[in-house]
Amino acid sequence: MESRYEIGLGNHDDKTRKHALDDPIKFWEEQADNLFWFEKWISVLQWDPPFAKWFVGGKTNVSYNALDVIVKKTPDKLAIIWEGEDGNTRNITYKQLLEQVCRFSNVLKSLGVGKGDRITVYLPMIPELVVSLLACSRIGAIHTVIFSGFSSQSIRDRVDDSKSKIVITADGGRRRGTIIKLKETIDDAIRNFDFVQNVIVVENVKNIISYTKKDLKWGSLMSGSEIYCEPEKLDSAHPLYILYTSGTTGKPKGVLHGTGGYLTHIYSTFKWVFDIKQDDVYFCTADIGWVTGHSYIAYGPFLHGSTQVMYEGALDYPTPERIWQIVSKHRVTILYTTPTALRMFMKYGNDLPNSNDLSSLRLLGTVGEPINPEVWKWYFEIIGKSKCPIIDTWWQTETGGIMISPVPGLETIPLKPGSATRPIPGISIDVIDENGKRTRDGSKGYLVVTQPWPGMLLTLWNDDEKYKSVYWSKYHTMYYPGDFAIRDEDGYIWMLGRADDVLKIAGHRLGTAELESGFVSHKSVAEAAVCGIPHQIKGEVILAFIVLKEGVEPSSELKEELTNHIRKTIGSIATPDRMYFVSKLPKTRSGKIMRRLLKAVSTNEKIGDVSTLEDEATVDEIKFAFAYMQQSMENNTR
Ligand code: WTA
């Protein structure tokens, strides 16, 4: 086991953990009491497995808690220090943010948006993105953000599934010195969608673009709008947002989060995990297109009246020093980033961080992928100068908020590089085997959540059946996140990556089935299989195996065409690292692609104990397929 690191922060108080264990319902009720409610709940939890309703009967509003409550105390405190990729900055106080949110809420209302209507948001990392989400939450509209790296086809599927009434986008976004044409992508995505009533366009880069009859300009709408908007008193279970995420089927799933439970989870975890103080400057490098940006940029920090840095562009642009310059310039105290980003910065050596003043930092977080102990130690020693604890946080889009992490705001515990430590108080987690039995300490098993928790998803949008089958059919009474893990003798959890067909490419979640159907939608492709293989920086990269249709000749031009095709159908994040043309795919008798075998061949693993490689195939079948794939891959590189 790794050597131990003590957290130097926080109060030592295991009373909270004990209390949470003894009476989790009462514990969460007390946490909900920290928030503002228009009407108090009648019961804390209505658990009709697998559907949970938290704080039933309670009425609240997320934007009221994030803005009005704070404005009463610290109206002139900075809510957002925004830095554009080109170096421009915009400072926004809580009072100004509330005003913007109210104005935009009124804009939406004037366009006929009401409670429960869906709003698609496809914006770069600019303050208008935060304003849009908070405004939706103020009037009870359901936002659905799409990461700006997704292509028009991916957007089309998501807008169609959510039947969004309004789409919010920009005339362009800045990325690595170029302008991303967001509006054109949206025009292409929503063509013939009559249910989309209007597209609101933020004039962000002042690009000359063409406008259609549906388009409205953000600036003129806002200037003609009233400065105050009464917040809706929303039921605790009222949906707050849909966030599409990849799973094991071809179509992305619309994860649906609610209001009161989610709010309680985010409020509490932000306080405990980041040990937040009034004078902190928090910087989360995630994009709001992913869940981290929802929970810990758009909501968590504002609920505590914190000041946060929001950055528009690439962290290594124009030089790999950019991230450290931002930390130094704005005196950032808490940095929350990804192992992929850290691996990239580590590669550039120590001179860049060392030549910037990082002395303001006091706490360092990571999220999204397992962090290798060497990277953990680099983060601890070189970035944190061995005085900042590393907070490795495990959670998912579906969990809404952090589930496993050190909690320096509550207790001091020794850290172990590479482990997310223990479940946060009030969260019940275990590691079990295929039969649902608790694994021995130190043995690999499946991570499960054994009790409902406040931030948990309500369901999948319009698909209760899929919600049940994806998360609740493996163990019935326990939530199955799809991750492998080990619990060690101290009760610490070590995450070992996905147990299902979901990839984590540079921390971004992509389903193999979604990628495969992307390839198959090309006219020359008969079948496709993808797998992820380890990569030094991105954690994992995509390998694609393609079976071409009869009569189609393999060529390097075709590879390029297929790469462009997948970028067009899914987005640039889906670009494969390598592609192989093969004449057939290795499959089990029931037709399942032997993905673990593909991975083993691709990483030059020895065939070894083949019987454990795939569940449904015989040893001979696997051996044969292995040799065949090895041969095919060699032929490809020749
Ligand atoms: C992985 C991101 C190891 C895991 C917030 C999970 C992690 C998936 C960690 C969810 C971590 C997230 N250590 N693995 N600290 N955090 N993961 O929905 O496989 O984009 O199931 O949410 O990321 O990805 P998602």
Side-chain angles (χ1 to χ4, degrees), residues 368-370 392-397 483 495 498 504 509:
E369 311 152 73
D392 178 359
T393 62
W394 178 89
W395 58 296
Q396 307 183 297
T397 305
D483 275 30
M495 301 306 308
R498 299 291 305 192
K504 270 283 176 157
R509 188 165 157 180

Side-chain angles (χ1 to χ4, degrees), residues 121 123 125 129 133 143 145-150 158 175 241-246 262 284-299 338 367-368 395-397 400 503-511 514 570 573-574:
V121 185
L123 281 174
M125 284 289 286
L129 173 49
L133 305 197
H143 59 73
V145 181
I146 303 177
F147 174 56
S148 56
F150 277 117
R158 287 158 171 78
R175 192 84 187 169
Y241 65 81
I242 304 171
L243 185 55
Y244 286 92
T245 185
S246 287
Y262 178 80
C284 170
T285 68
D287 190 291
I288 296 185
W290 306 98
V291 75
T292 305
H294 280 61
S295 298
Y296 299 107
I297 296 181
Y299 293 118
T338 61
V367 60
W395 58 296
Q396 307 183 297
T397 305
L503 309 181
K504 270 283 176 157
I505 311 299
H508 297 152
R509 188 165 157 180
L510 281 174
E514 202 180 339
I570 297 186
I573 51 170

Side-chain angles (χ1 to χ4, degrees), residues 134-294:
L134 287 164
C136 288
S137 80
R138 195 165 188 88
I139 62 170
I142 305 171
H143 59 73
T144 158
V145 181
I146 303 177
F147 174 56
S148 56
F150 277 117
S151 70
S152 57
Q153 184 56 48
S154 299
I155 301 167
R156 191 173 175 79
D157 295 343
R158 287 158 171 78
V159 175
D160 193 23
D161 191 70
S162 63
K163 294 281 181 297
S164 288
K165 193 167 185 173
I166 303 278
V167 174
I168 307 170
T169 189
D171 57 358
R174 296 180 188 84
R175 192 84 187 169
R176 296 188 186 284
T178 60
I179 301 293
I180 301 177
K181 295 176 176 162
L182 303 169
K183 171 67 164 54
E184 275 181 20
T185 309
I186 285 293
D187 285 347
D188 196 25
I190 63 161
R191 197 158 305 201
N192 310 327
F193 278 173
D194 291 338
F195 57 83
V196 177
Q197 190 188 293
N198 290 109
V199 176
I200 301 178
V201 186
V202 179
E203 292 158 287
N204 181 41
V205 294
K206 313 277 181 297
N207 223 11
I208 298 170
I209 53 165
S210 60
Y211 283 89
T212 70
K213 279 204 300 279
K214 284 187 180 178
D215 299 340
L216 299 165
K217 292 184 181 173
W218 174 284
S220 38
L221 292 171
M222 288 290 269
S223 58
S225 166
E226 285 290 316
I227 194 167
Y228 183 71
C229 172
E230 197 67 40
E232 285 288 328
K233 298 181 172 80
L234 299 168
D235 278 339
S236 180
H238 184 77
L240 177 64
Y241 65 81
I242 304 171
L243 185 55
Y244 286 92
T245 185
S246 287
T248 45
T249 57
K251 267 183 62 178
K253 304 171 296 200
V255 170
L256 187 69
H257 279 293
T259 297
Y262 178 80
L263 193 61
T264 304
H265 193 141
I266 301 309
Y267 176 90
S268 310
T269 48
F270 192 76
K271 181 168 69 178
W272 300 331
V273 170
F274 298 108
D275 186 29
I276 197 77
K277 306 273 189 278
Q278 268 309 308
D279 54 359
D280 271 319
V281 178
Y282 167 87
F283 177 26
C284 170
T285 68
D287 190 291
I288 296 185
W290 306 98
V291 75
T292 305
H294 280 61

